[in-house]
Amino acid sequence: MVFRNVIVCHMVPGSEGIVGDVFGYYDKTTRPQDLGVIGRILLSHEDLYIHVIERDQDPKVSGQTRGLPAFQKIAEAIAPYVTPYPSYWKNPSDSVAKEFYRWVPDGEASVETTLIVIIGRIKPGAEPDVARIFAESDAGSLPVQLGITGRWLYSIDDVYVHLLEQDASIAEAARENHDKKPAFAKIMADLSPFISPYNPEAWRGPAREFYRWRADS
């Protein structure tokens, strides 16, 4: 089982290559896996930087670590491009989004999956309502119809992060056809009072991955 933390910051648009190269260097020259980190994915969306850290142990049990021995050097290198998002930011842990809902089907997924990261804005305090809406939907047949093998919802300040794990073989077809399913239309309508596009003037789809690292097996 993979455990994930999600970090959300502001990022200077167009700096993905620079930031990705910094992590690429330290992921190759240090051993993040010695701290329990088995993978990371960096994504961008509008002016946002999303950093998904994957671990082989639950950080709530094993304790939080920065993920790389060279954390301070990385922070200094990306500081001109990556800055805190929350208005209440005081230390690095304030950039970690709070998980407020997760769903995975019973048993281990036996298919190859792909991870999609959806970004939006969430109404302050709406996490329980959003969690309830997804719990009701995930108890039905829609996840199976769309090949969904896991869902994790996070929030930080007014940002909503939706990690969607999906059967890779049907992911593209499912995305093209999901809006034709009444159950999908219902969940979107139910969410509309609480979730809105990050930038209403420019819908850009899921966050764009620009860097990925996996520990050697």
Side-chain angles (χ1 to χ4, degrees), residues 11 16-17 36 39 64 69 72-73 78 83 85 90 111-112 114 117 133 154 162 171 175 181 190 205 208-209:
M11 186 169 73
E16 289 90 344
Q64 292 281 2
Q72 189 59 41
K73 292 181 180 178
I78 67 174
T83 55
Y85 183 87
K90 292 183 179 179
V111 297
E112 182 180 349
T114 185
V117 181
I133 291 167
Y154 302 80
H162 181 168
R175 285 196 297 273
K181 297 183 180 296
D190 291 345
R208 183 175 68 87
E209 178 182 318

Side-chain angles (χ1 to χ4, degrees), residues 45-92:
H45 184 81
E46 298 283 345
D47 64 336
L48 291 182
Y49 159 91
I50 303 98
H51 184 169
V52 181
I53 302 173
E54 299 186 333
R55 305 176 188 272
D56 57 6
Q57 296 182 21
D58 187 346
K60 294 178 182 177
V61 176
S62 61
Q64 292 281 2
T65 59
R66 296 303 182 198
L68 273 177
F71 172 78
Q72 189 59 41
K73 292 181 180 178
I74 292 172
E76 292 172 358
I78 67 174
Y81 314 101
V82 177
T83 55
Y85 183 87
S87 56
Y88 51 79
W89 193 94
K90 292 183 179 179
N91 57 66

Side-chain angles (χ1 to χ4, degrees), residues 61-144:
V61 176
S62 61
Q64 292 281 2
T65 59
R66 296 303 182 198
L68 273 177
F71 172 78
Q72 189 59 41
K73 292 181 180 178
I74 292 172
E76 292 172 358
I78 67 174
Y81 314 101
V82 177
T83 55
Y85 183 87
S87 56
Y88 51 79
W89 193 94
K90 292 183 179 179
N91 57 66
S93 63
D94 290 334
S95 290
V96 179
K98 178 186 69 174
E99 180 185 303
F100 66 90
Y101 176 79
R102 73 165 62 185
W103 173 85
V104 291
D106 295 333
E108 292 290 329
S110 59
V111 297
E112 182 180 349
T113 61
T114 185
L115 186 69
I116 299 164
V117 181
I118 301 165
I119 304 298
R121 293 194 188 273
I122 187 168
K123 181 179 178 181
E127 287 87 351
D129 293 296
V130 174
R132 172 184 52 80
I133 291 167
F134 273 106
E136 292 172 355
S137 175
D138 288 335
S141 61
L142 188 61
V144 174

